[in-house]
Amino acid sequence: MKLPKPIHLLAGVALNNEPAENDELVVSRVSIANKTGLCPRSGMRLRLIKLDKDHRSQLHSQLMNLSGERYQEFTEKRKFSRHDKSYAAKKLNDFSDWLDKRKGKPFTAIVDGANVAYYMQNYDKGRFNYHQLQFMIDALESMNENPLVVLPQKYCTPSFKVMMGSQFRTQKLTEDEKDILDSLTRNGQLYR
């Protein structure tokens, strides 16, 4: 069996639509044909699962309940709660409404901006790294993706408190970092 080649976690995964060998372990980025749903690497057909109105409603309700439960668990563990569990459902609904009402091409990738920007930054001089965020956006766009960056509001302000090493510090955005945020906003690729 052929094993996949290791790649850096932030490296782009090249598109590969060549059929795989019979004994090959497939770890690839592929283009699925809209009309056939066929994977060119494995030859497998994806099934489109359509939900009727009742099932969509049930899924929506369960998702809202789950978001509230997880939010409550999160805040109880940290001994703070600014809102009750309905807060999470409201925020999720706000996001859904924003997606429904926005103009433009549909997003094909969602980037957890905080996790990308903090990747490998947990050391004394580390910082919330907007350039890593831009690197990820550039990598996704080079693969013909249309990424959306989801970022907590605090990281969209000129300065904010961050825990680096063992203490809180204030991080002030450089002009380059402000440009990255402005570009994401201008391109409609940022949700705060």
Side-chain angles (χ1 to χ4, degrees):
M1 176 188 314
K2 295 178 187 174
L3 295 177
K5 295 177 190 171
I7 60 171
H8 186 277
L9 290 176
L10 291 178
V13 177
L15 191 65
N16 183 353
N17 286 329
E18 296 298 316
E21 301 291 326
N22 286 338
D23 64 345
E24 183 180 357
L25 174 64
V26 177
V27 180
S28 300
R29 182 171 180 275
V30 298
S31 289
I32 304 294
N34 287 341
K35 292 187 175 157
T36 65
L38 202 61
C39 172
R41 293 280 286 148
S42 67
M44 300 299 295
R45 184 176 311 280
L46 300 178
R47 283 188 323 144
L48 176 62
I49 300 173
K50 288 194 171 196
L51 299 177
D52 61 33
K53 187 176 180 178
D54 289 340
H55 285 111
R56 275 196 315 272
S57 178
Q58 182 182 8
L59 178 63
H60 181 267
S61 176
Q62 288 174 343
L63 183 60
M64 292 302 142
N65 287 336
L66 181 62
S67 69
E69 289 169 10
R70 296 289 187 226
Y71 178 76
Q72 192 168 15
E73 288 171 16
F74 176 82
T75 57
E76 284 173 358
K77 284 180 187 173
R78 284 154 185 79
K79 309 252 188 282
F80 77 90
S81 182
R82 289 176 244 161
H83 311 281
D84 65 16
K85 69 182 193 175
S86 67
Y87 174 78
K90 181 191 177 321
K91 288 299 192 182
L92 192 54
N93 262 329
D94 291 348
F95 178 62
S96 177
D97 289 345
W98 180 81
L99 284 174
D100 287 342
K101 292 174 184 170
R102 67 172 284 281
K103 305 274 190 256
K105 298 186 316 186
F107 295 111
T108 58
I110 297 179
V111 176
D112 178 346
N115 275 326
V116 170
Y118 274 125
Y119 178 71
M120 300 293 286
Q121 296 297 308
N122 195 19
Y123 59 93
D124 206 27
K125 300 291 183 196
R127 59 188 282 121
F128 190 88
N129 192 329
Y130 292 88
H131 297 280
Q132 282 183 180
L133 200 51
Q134 186 63 56
F135 177 82
M136 180 63 74
I137 296 301
D138 292 344
L140 288 166
E141 286 176 343
S142 75
M143 295 184 277
N144 295 317
E145 299 291 350
N146 183 29
L148 168 66
V149 176
V150 177
L151 201 56
Q153 179 64 37
K154 95 175 205 177
Y155 301 115
C156 301
T157 61
S159 67
F160 50 88
K161 298 270 187 215
V162 291
M163 177 70 123
M164 286 298 163
S166 60
Q167 56 188 277
F168 278 102
R169 295 198 174 130
T170 299
Q171 179 173 329
K172 293 183 179 174
L173 270 60
T174 66
E175 288 305 313
D176 284 348
E177 292 168 335
K178 288 177 187 174
D179 288 345
I180 291 169
L181 277 177
D182 288 346
S183 174
L184 290 171
T185 302
R186 204 173 36 255
N187 294 334
Q189 293 178 293
L190 181 63
Y191 183 81
R192 330 169 179 209

